Amino acid sequence: MNSIKRLSLVAVVAVLMTISVEAQTEKTYVVEPGHYSWLEWNFDEVTRVVTRFRARGGSGNDIEVFILDEDGFENWRNGHRAPTYYNSGRVTVGRFDVRLRPGKYFLVMSNTFSSVSNKVVNFTFY
């Protein structure tokens, strides 16, 4: 009976060790018409980024969100094509779950398509 209790306890501990606690952080950004804003991330190890975002403002309540590496961000800022790790297209609500290798990355919120309206973008990072 003792060995069964020990095995059960070991199984419970093993399950608890595999459950990760998800911390949730909310951030809000304002992106002016005809402009873009960005967050810069530097990762020393493979990192999983999980988020949901929602845009408000203008007639479409829309925003474009990208994740680019350092070279991609430089190319994109200069009007050139750039590969993305995430590209939302023009949306009101979006989510992503990406794993990024060590390096520098940029989360870009683009409102360059709008000539009139600010966009308020609320991110929930998990």
Side-chain angles (χ1 to χ4, degrees):
M1 192 80 157
N2 270 344
S3 63
I4 292 174
K5 285 182 183 177
R6 267 188 245 144
L7 285 176
S8 296
L9 181 59
V10 168
V12 169
V13 170
V15 168
L16 289 175
M17 288 174 57
T18 62
I19 296 173
S20 62
V21 176
E22 290 188 7
Q24 186 173 308
T25 303
E26 292 192 22
K27 297 284 185 179
T28 301
Y29 304 92
V30 176
V31 186
E32 296 178 3
H35 291 84
Y36 61 91
S37 295
W38 72 90
L39 303 176
E40 182 177 319
W41 294 327
N42 290 291
F43 299 126
D44 294 330
E45 58 189 35
V46 173
T47 303
R48 182 178 179 203
V49 181
V50 181
T51 191
R52 180 179 187 274
F53 61 91
R54 177 183 300 274
R56 293 184 324 259
S59 62
N61 291 316
D62 50 1
I63 195 77
E64 294 175 333
V65 175
F66 310 102
I67 297 176
L68 302 150
D69 62 18
E70 195 168 10
D71 291 342
F73 184 54
E74 186 173 347
N75 281 320
W76 182 83
R77 286 179 13 175
N78 287 296
H80 304 297
R81 292 174 43 111
T84 60
Y85 293 85
Y86 174 78
N87 182 339
S88 69
R90 199 177 300 176
V91 297
T92 299
V93 177
R95 356 176 140 248
F96 58 82
D97 182 344
V98 295
R99 289 188 188 280
L100 301 171
R101 298 174 77 163
K104 185 184 286 190
Y105 296 90
F106 297 85
L107 174 68
V108 178
M109 297 160 273
S110 176
N111 192 22
T112 57
F113 56 86
S114 177
S115 59
V116 178
S117 303
N118 282 343
K119 302 300 168 77
V120 177
V121 188
N122 183 29
F123 282 88
T124 303
F125 294 97
Y126 300 95

